[in-house]
Each structure stands twice: as structure tokens, then as C-alpha cells.
């Protein structure tokens, strides 16, 4: 039984700890000043930060901020604002923290302090990550990386650590890369404290990946750092790392006991749920998960209440502002109405209105004429293209049929059995070509009259692709055809099987037609960005001429007039795909030939 555990392990706990460390370092640098007044005020802030007396903290923080403004120390003032945001977040006041961050950003922009803006962007990422909006948090962390001065590596470390933290479960390999970037910068600065912090984090990341060998490797390194660094060693992640090591060693009872050493209640229940699940104790895991959900819901209720109160206050302030603006606008309107009141102005407005209406009607008629002209030109072009294609494509097989039929029917013609067989095959092939041309014309005519296609077939993507490609494997030049499934054979799709097979056959026929040397490859894969299932047909042929990328999807258009076909295959394929909620596109990035992609929704 698979439990529905949280999707991003340790995110809340580790980010909260990271913020507290960040705040501690900020205080440490500030205390290096020789200003005794600043030291005294900052000491009060530092003491109240770890207490639950909110009124005392804000009084101390405001005293320190006012002193920094008095001394014209803007950077110090922003660091104080940042500490307030972290304090609010640690006490679940997310709405208040976000408002302060926005005010801080606005102040920086007004003062032209562009190099400091990354701090507010980083803070937003922290707020949204703790609030549970990982996608938005990731966007802000990436934006902060673009804004930050990369010549100062110390500013990048916490950003890479936070990125690794939110990617821990969904993109563990990316998380490991970001963590390695942070470690390289830490090594360059020679900070043992931060280095041990990062190694401890690696133990947790290896645990999230369920790579027990990596857990053992990084935990051993973590313990070596504890011995070698002494006071420089960071114990921020120590309890978490010990839990991960116990789980890796399958000492589940020890791991459960160690979770009680954690200070964050939600982390305790999250860890216990996962440990019980790994130990096979499903009932205990379910019971612990219920406790975790209850605690999480309680915290979320507090956060939502605080946000609702904040929103209500903002709404009240906005209403008061709107009332003031409305009164002012009312007075201005009264004055303007008196000024503009008069027959002359009314007459001018009527004249102006009529003129604008006349010009608008004239412009509309002109636009309609242009559309009618373009439609007429397009109809003429399509007619000529159709006649030219039909003249060539129908006459050629008919000439073959008539010519060989006369030869076979002449009793005076002496032929071997092999020659007769060859002629019959050519007559059959030409007949099939005529049938195919008529079928394509009838098919596209029928598709023009409908707007959607039924999708009632539940089929395996790979099985469908193999069925389509099988006839090509039996052909004489079958070595040119390959199939590369990037989906599992069990991956299913709900679609119209017959229409999908037609589209893929059209695409493979085109690829074979324009590929004299090389190969044609059919590949199945999933586009995670657009949540679509893709069938790509790649060839190593002559490719598509630049400027023809969209023309090839028009009716009767042929990039090579000497090639077999009437120019309806791609047009019909795209129309059918769109009627099924997908599309057929050309991959313009591929330059070794051509690559057409059939994109379809999973359901």
C-alpha cells in the first residue's frame, strides 16, 4: 500500500532553519561595527527574535531601523527589514511578510538600488516556498539568480541552497547540481561552517532520492567534518542527518526515536510517516499521517485567518481611498459639465460622432473587400494547383495502365512470364495510386465538414506505433526504418486509433519519399511542458526549404513537383490532429533532414 505522503520532504523545516542561519550571519556582520548605540539596539533585536513576545520584537526592531535611517545607512535598514520578514514567516504571518517585502522592493526601486533588488526577490521565493507554492517559489529564486551580482559568490550560496531544497523531491538531480554549485562557492570562500551545512543537506537530499549508498557516503563525510571542524561545524541538519542514516541502515526504531529530537512538529510527523511506510508498518504510517495532516491543517487555518484579516484591512483602506477619490471626481465632473455645456460643443460632438461612424463603416467595408479579394485569389490558386496536380498525378498512372494493357492485350507481342508479371505489377501499382488520390480528395472533403473526431479507442502508444511501422519493416529497404520508444509499453492513450494510424502513415510515407540515404525513425515520448503525447517521425533526407515551414501544410502544395503525391497528406494530417485536440508541427530546430511531430492529448 502506497501512502499519500507530502510531495516535498523537509522543505518547511530546512528553509526555516536556513533563514534563521541567514539572520544570525546578518547579525554577526552588523555587530562588527564600532557604533556602541547600534550594537546595543541590535542586541535587543537579537534577543527578542527568538522569543514569542511579538510586541517586544517589533519595538526593538523599529528602534534599530529608525537609528539606521537617522545614520543614513540604507543597506543596514534593508537588512533590518529582511529580518522582520523572516520573523513574520517563522511565526506564520505570510501575508504580512509579503506586504513588507513588496514595500521594501518599491523603496529600492525608487532609490535606484538595482543591485539590492535580488534580496526582495529571494525573500518572495522563501515566502512562497514555505506557503507551499513551490512553482512560484522556483520562479522567484531563478529570477533572483539573474538579478544578483555574480562577482560576489557569497550572495549566491543561499539561493542555490534554496533551489536545491524545493527541487529535492521533483527534480533530485537538478537539486544535487544546485547544491554542488553552492559547495564550490563555499570552498572558494573557505567557510567550514557553511561547508558542513551543505554536506548535511546532501545527506537529506540522498534520503529524498532513496539512495542509501549516497546517504552512507555523505553521512560519513559529515561526521568527519564534525571531528575536524570543531566549533566551526554546523549542527543545523545534524538531527535530520542522523534520522536519514538510521533509515538507510534499516534501524527504523532508532529513527523513530530520533525524530522526537526535532523541534518542528510537522517534520516529526512527516518523518515518522515515511519511516513507518519504509518499515512496512502501514497502519502506524496511516495513523501518523493523519496526525501530520491535522497539525498541517491547524497551521494552515492560522495562516488563512491571518491572510483574511490582512485582506479585509486592505479592502477597508481601499474603500476609504475610493470614497475620497469619488468625492473629488464628483466635484471635478460638476465643474467640467458646466464648462462644456453649450450648443456649440454639443454640435461639435454630434459632427465628430457622425464622422467617426462614417469612417469606421468605410474602413469595415474596405476590410471586407480585402478579405473577399484574398479569398478569390486563394480559391484561384487552389484551383490551378489542383488542376496541375491532378493533370500530372492522374495522367501518369492512367498512361501506364493504358500502355501496358495494350501491350498485354496484343496477341502478336511476345513476352516472357517475368515481363508479363512486371507489367501486371505496374498496372496494379498505378491503379492503387489512382485509388489513393481519389481517397485523399474524398477524405479531405469529408473532414472539412466536421469539427471534431470521436476518440473512443484506448490503446498503447508503443503498440500503435509498432503496428503502423510494421509494413515498412517488410519492405526491401527496411533497414532505413527504426522505432525508438521512450514511453513504457504500458503507457496508454485515449484517441481515434484509425485516424492516428493514417497520420503516422502519411508522415512515414513522406519521410521515405524524400530520404534516399540514411534512416527514418519513429519515436514516442511525452512532452512534460505541454502535457502532450508525441509521435515524431525523423528522417535524414533533403529537409524543408527555409520559408516553406507553413506552406507545406497548405492544400495541394508540393515542395518538389516531381515527387509522387497530390500535396494533401500533411494538410489532412494537421486538420485531423487538431480535430482530436492535438496538432502536427515541423521541428524547425532539426537541420539534419526533417522532423514532423504528431502531438495528442492523453485523453
Amino acid at each position: 500500500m502506497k501512502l499519500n505522503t507530502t510531495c516535498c520532504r523537509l522543505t518547511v523545516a530546512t528553509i526555516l532553519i536556513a533563514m534563521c542561519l541567514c539572520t544570525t550571519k546578518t547579525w554577526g556582520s552588523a555587530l562588527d561595527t564600532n557604533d556602541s548605540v547600534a550594537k546595543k539596539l541590535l542586541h535587543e533585536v537579537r534577543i527578542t527574535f527568538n522569543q514569542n513576545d511579538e510586541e517586544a520584537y517589533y519595538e526593538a526592531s523599529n528602534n534599530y531601523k529608525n537609528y539606521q535611517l537617522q545614520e543614513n545607512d540604507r543597506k543596514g535598514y534593508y537588512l533590518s527589514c529582511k529580518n522582520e520578514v523572516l520573523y513574520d514567516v517563522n511565526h506564520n504571518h505570510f501575508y504580512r511578510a509579503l506586504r513588507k517585502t513588496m514595500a521594501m522592493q518599491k523603496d529600492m526601486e525608487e532609490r535606484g538600488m538595482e543591485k539590492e533588488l535580488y534580496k526582495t526577490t529571494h525573500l518572495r521565493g522563501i515566502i512562497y516556498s514555505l506557503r507551499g507554492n513551490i512553482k512560484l517559489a522556483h520562479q522567484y529564486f531563478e529570477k533572483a539568480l539573474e538579478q544578483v551580482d555574480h562577482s560576489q559568490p557569497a550572495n549566491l550560496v543561499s539561493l542555490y541552497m534554496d533551489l536545491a531544497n524545493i527541487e529535492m523531491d521533483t527534480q533530485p538531480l537538478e537539486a544535487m547540481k544546485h547544491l554542488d554549485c553552492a559547495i564550490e562557492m563555499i570552498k572558494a570562500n573557505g567557510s567550514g561552517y557553511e561547508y558542513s551545512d551543505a554536506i548535511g543537506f546532501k545527506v537529506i537530499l540522498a534520503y529524498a532520492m532513496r539512495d542509501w549508498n549516497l546517504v552512507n557516503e555523505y553521512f560519513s563525510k559529515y561526521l568527519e567534518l564534525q571531528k575536524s571542524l570543531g566549533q566551526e561545524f554546523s549542527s543545523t541538519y545534524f538531527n535530520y542527518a542522523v534520522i536519514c542514516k538510521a533509515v538507510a541502515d534499516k534501524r527504523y526504531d532508532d529513527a523513530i526515536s530520533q525524530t522526537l529530537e526535532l523541534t518542528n512538529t510537522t517534520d516529526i510527523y512527516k518523518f515518522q510517516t515515511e519511516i513507518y511506510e519504509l518499515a512496512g508498518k502501514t497502519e502506524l504510517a496511516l495513523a501518523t499521517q493523519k496526525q501530520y495532516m491535522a497539525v498541517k491543517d491547524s497551521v494552515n487555518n492560522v495562516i488563512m485567518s491571518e491572510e483574511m484579516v490582512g485582506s479585509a484591512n486592505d479592502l477597508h483602506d481601499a474603500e476609504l481611498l475610493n470614497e475620497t477619490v469619488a468625492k473629488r471626481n464628483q466635484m471635478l465632473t460638476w465643474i467640467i459639465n458646466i464648462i462644456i455645456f453649450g450648443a456649440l460643443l454639443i454640435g461639435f460632438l454630434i459632427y465628430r460622432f457622425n464622422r467617426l461612424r462614417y469612417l469606421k463603416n468605410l474602413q469595415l467595408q474596405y476590410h471586407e473587400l480585402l478579405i473577399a479579394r484574398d479569398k478569390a485569389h486563394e480559391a484561384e490558386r487552389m484551383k490551378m494547383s489542383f488542376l496541375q496536380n491532378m493533370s500530372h498525378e492522374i495522367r501518369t498512372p492512367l498512361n501506364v495502365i493504358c500502355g501496358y494493357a495494350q501491350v498485354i492485350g496484343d496477341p502478336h507481342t511476345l513476352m516472357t512470364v517475368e515481363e508479363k508479371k512486371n507489367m501486371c505489377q505496374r498496372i496494379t501499382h498505378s491503379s492503387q495510386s489512382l485509388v489513393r488520390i481519389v481517397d485523399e480528395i474524398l477524405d479531405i472533403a469529408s473532414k472539412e465538414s466536421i469539427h471534431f473526431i470521436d476518440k473512443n479507442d484506448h490503446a498503447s502508444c508503443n503498440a500503435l506505433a509498432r503496428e503502423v511501422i510494421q509494413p515498412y519493416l517488410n519492405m526491401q529497404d527496411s533497414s532505413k526504418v527504426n522505432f525508438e520508444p521512450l514511453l513504457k509499453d504500458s503507457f496508454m492513450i485515449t484517441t481515434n486509433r484509425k485516424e492516428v494510424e493514417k497520420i503516422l502513415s502519411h508522415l512515414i510515407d513522406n519521410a521515405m519519399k524524400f530520404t534516399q540515404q540514411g534512416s527514418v525513425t519513429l519515436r514516442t515520448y511525452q512532452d512534460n511542458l505541454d502535457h502532450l503525447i508525441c509521435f515524431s517521425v525523423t528522417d535524414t533526407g533533403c529537409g524543408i526549404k527555409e520559408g516553406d515551414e507553413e506552406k507545406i501544410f497548405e492544400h495541394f502544395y508540393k515542395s518538389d513537383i516531381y515527387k509522387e503525391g497530390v500535396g494533401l497528406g500533411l494538410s489532412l494530417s494537421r486538420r485531423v490532429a487538431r480535430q482530436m485536440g492535438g496538432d502536427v508541427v515541423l521541428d524547425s530546430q532539426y537541420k539534419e533532414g526533417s522532423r514532423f511531430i504528431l502531438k495528442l492529448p492523453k485523453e
Side-chain angles (χ1 to χ4, degrees):
M1 178 178 181
K2 181 65 178 175
L3 297 173
N4 183 23
T5 54
T6 182
C7 65
C8 191
R9 304 177 182 89
L10 304 177
T11 301
V12 174
T14 50
I15 290 184
L16 283 173
I17 294 170
M19 287 191 298
C20 291
L21 285 174
C22 176
T23 308
T24 302
K25 292 173 186 178
T26 298
W27 284 328
S29 61
L31 284 171
D32 291 337
T33 180
N34 293 321
D35 191 334
S36 58
V37 178
K39 282 186 176 182
K40 182 179 178 181
L41 293 172
L42 184 59
H43 182 68
E44 289 296 321
V45 175
R46 188 173 187 177
I47 290 174
T48 55
F49 184 90
N50 295 313
Q51 298 175 354
N52 290 323
D53 191 342
E54 187 172 290
E55 185 176 348
Y57 170 75
Y58 282 119
E59 181 180 355
S61 180
N62 287 330
N63 290 336
Y64 186 48
K65 284 197 300 183
N66 291 334
Y67 179 79
Q68 288 168 325
L69 291 176
Q70 180 183 333
E71 295 298 312
N72 199 26
D73 183 1
R74 210 71 199 178
K75 289 188 178 180
Y77 170 79
Y78 289 144
L79 288 175
S80 299
C81 293
K82 177 182 177 182
N83 289 334
E84 276 196 10
V85 171
L86 297 178
Y87 181 87
D88 288 338
V89 170
N90 282 336
H91 291 79
N92 293 327
H93 298 311
F94 292 96
Y95 186 84
R96 187 193 303 171
L98 187 58
R99 290 293 303 274
K100 289 181 179 179
T101 303
M102 293 170 65
M104 185 171 154
Q105 177 182 341
K106 183 178 179 181
D107 188 78
M108 288 178 176
E109 290 173 344
E110 290 176 351
R111 297 178 183 277
M113 302 182 71
E114 301 295 329
K115 291 186 177 181
E116 299 295 313
L117 282 175
Y118 83 93
K119 294 179 181 178
T120 60
T121 307
H122 188 188
L123 280 175
R124 284 198 183 191
I126 292 174
I127 292 169
Y128 283 118
S129 64
L130 290 173
R131 191 63 184 88
N133 194 333
I134 302 302
K135 182 178 180 181
L136 202 53
H138 194 281
Q139 292 176 4
Y140 278 108
F141 287 148
E142 291 287 353
K143 185 177 179 181
L145 278 175
E146 295 174 3
Q147 293 175 327
V148 71
D149 183 2
H150 285 249
S151 64
Q152 302 294 326
N155 297 333
L156 294 166
V157 173
S158 59
L159 280 170
Y160 280 120
M161 294 277 281
D162 286 337
L163 272 172
N165 203 8
I166 63 174
E167 293 172 344
M168 187 185 301
D169 258 61
T170 57
Q171 296 175 291
L173 295 179
E174 287 296 317
M176 192 64 80
K177 289 179 182 178
H178 285 130
L179 191 52
D180 287 336
C181 289
I183 289 175
E184 290 299 319
M185 295 174 185
I186 292 169
K187 286 180 177 179
N189 291 335
S191 172
Y193 185 91
E194 291 184 339
Y195 182 63
S196 59
D197 230 18
I199 297 301
F201 193 0
K202 275 207 169 188
V203 177
I204 300 169
L205 180 54
Y207 167 84
M209 296 167 63
R210 297 296 188 263
D211 191 331
W212 308 126
N213 291 330
L214 274 182
V215 171
N216 291 326
E217 177 184 347
Y218 290 132
F219 186 78
S220 299
K221 192 171 184 179
Y222 194 47
L223 292 183
E224 291 174 5
L225 290 173
Q226 184 185 28
K227 293 179 182 178
S228 62
L229 293 176
Q231 294 296 326
E232 280 273 321
F233 177 78
S234 168
S235 60
T236 303
Y237 301 113
F238 188 81
N239 287 335
Y240 293 89
V242 170
I243 294 170
C244 296
K245 171 62 175 173
V247 173
D249 294 339
K250 297 185 179 180
R251 294 183 288 106
Y252 300 118
D253 291 338
D254 292 342
I256 291 293
S257 299
Q258 190 63 36
T259 60
L260 302 177
E261 299 294 324
L262 302 178
T263 57
N264 189 291
T265 307
T266 54
D267 281 353
I268 293 174
Y269 288 133
K270 281 194 294 183
F271 258 120
Q272 289 184 353
T273 300
E274 293 182 345
I275 294 168
Y276 283 135
E277 182 186 1
L278 290 169
K281 299 178 180 179
T282 308
E283 292 183 359
L284 285 174
L286 284 170
T288 309
Q289 188 186 38
K290 289 180 180 178
Q291 291 177 305
Y292 163 68
M293 296 304 296
V295 172
K296 188 176 180 181
D297 288 342
S298 176
V299 173
N300 285 337
N301 287 337
V302 172
I303 295 171
M304 289 177 64
S305 298
E306 193 263 352
E307 290 179 348
M308 289 178 66
V309 171
S311 298
N313 291 336
D314 286 348
L315 183 60
H316 178 68
D317 292 340
E319 288 175 349
L320 292 176
L321 181 61
N322 286 337
E323 288 178 4
T324 303
V325 173
K327 290 179 180 178
R328 186 190 307 163
N329 288 341
Q330 187 177 7
M331 180 64 68
L332 290 173
T333 302
W334 183 77
I335 296 172
I336 292 172
N337 285 336
I338 292 176
I339 295 174
I340 66 171
F341 183 80
L344 182 62
L345 185 55
I346 293 174
F348 174 78
L349 290 175
I350 293 173
Y351 165 78
R352 188 68 177 168
F353 173 77
N354 290 334
R355 180 174 176 78
L356 288 174
R357 185 171 60 179
Y358 170 76
L359 291 175
K360 185 176 181 181
N361 290 336
L362 191 63
Q363 186 177 15
L364 182 62
Q365 292 174 5
Y366 177 73
H367 183 64
E368 290 174 350
L369 287 173
L370 288 178
I371 293 175
R373 184 200 65 184
D374 291 342
K375 286 184 177 179
H377 288 172
E378 180 63 15
E380 182 66 20
R381 186 194 68 78
M382 290 183 66
K383 182 185 76 173
M384 295 303 298
S385 179
F386 175 79
L387 292 175
Q388 290 172 359
N389 284 328
M390 292 303 100
S391 175
H392 173 74
E393 295 298 327
I394 293 179
R395 282 185 179 180
T396 300
L398 281 176
N399 288 336
V400 171
I401 293 171
C402 293
Y404 283 127
Q406 290 175 1
V407 173
I408 294 175
D410 188 352
H412 301 292
T413 302
L414 300 177
M415 292 183 294
T416 64
V417 175
E418 188 63 27
E419 287 174 335
K420 283 187 177 181
K421 181 180 180 181
N422 183 45
M423 289 183 182
C424 289
Q425 288 177 346
R426 289 178 177 271
I427 291 173
T428 301
H429 176 73
S430 297
S431 300
Q432 291 173 346
S433 296
L434 285 173
V435 172
R436 177 179 54 78
I437 292 170
V438 174
D439 285 344
E440 285 186 356
I441 295 172
L442 294 175
D443 204 6
I444 198 165
S446 66
K447 294 299 187 297
E448 291 286 348
S449 62
I450 61 175
H451 299 287
F452 66 93
I453 292 176
D454 292 332
K455 298 187 294 181
N456 301 318
D457 300 326
H458 196 56
S460 165
C461 294
N462 289 345
L464 192 153
R466 288 190 181 100
E467 186 173 341
V468 171
I469 207 171
Q470 185 60 41
Y472 299 94
L473 298 177
N474 297 328
M475 295 171 65
Q476 187 175 359
D477 54 349
S478 62
S479 61
K480 294 197 298 185
V481 183
N482 303 308
F483 176 49
E484 295 181 1
L486 300 183
L487 296 174
K488 294 182 179 179
D489 285 345
S490 59
F491 196 93
M492 308 296 287
I493 183 173
T494 301
T495 188
N496 189 306
R497 186 187 189 104
K498 181 179 178 182
E499 296 298 342
V500 172
E501 289 176 350
K502 280 185 180 180
I503 294 173
L504 292 178
S505 295
H506 275 309
L507 297 179
I508 296 174
D509 283 339
N510 274 358
M512 297 285 289
K513 189 190 305 181
F514 291 95
T515 304
Q516 302 301 323
Q517 294 182 347
S519 63
V520 175
T521 303
L522 174 61
R523 183 180 290 111
T524 60
Y525 62 93
Q526 186 171 4
D527 186 343
N528 294 322
L529 184 62
D530 295 329
H531 306 291
L532 295 173
I533 307 305
C534 297
F535 297 81
S536 70
V537 177
T538 306
D539 64 58
T540 57
C542 58
I544 305 300
K545 185 172 64 175
E546 187 175 353
D548 284 358
E549 290 84 357
E550 284 302 315
K551 288 183 179 179
I552 57 176
F553 291 100
E554 296 177 1
H555 291 348
F556 309 114
Y557 183 85
K558 295 175 64 175
S559 59
D560 187 347
I561 61 174
Y562 299 104
K563 290 291 184 180
E564 183 179 342
V566 295
L568 289 175
L570 287 176
S571 175
L572 179 61
S573 297
R574 170 172 275 189
R575 183 172 184 85
V576 172
R578 289 180 175 177
Q579 288 170 343
M580 292 191 293
D583 203 354
V584 173
V585 297
L586 173 68
D587 184 358
S588 59
Q589 303 299 318
Y590 180 73
K591 302 298 183 183
E592 302 300 322
S594 61
R595 174 180 291 147
F596 289 87
I597 304 173
L598 168 60
K599 298 183 176 183
L600 294 172
K602 186 178 179 182
E603 295 180 351

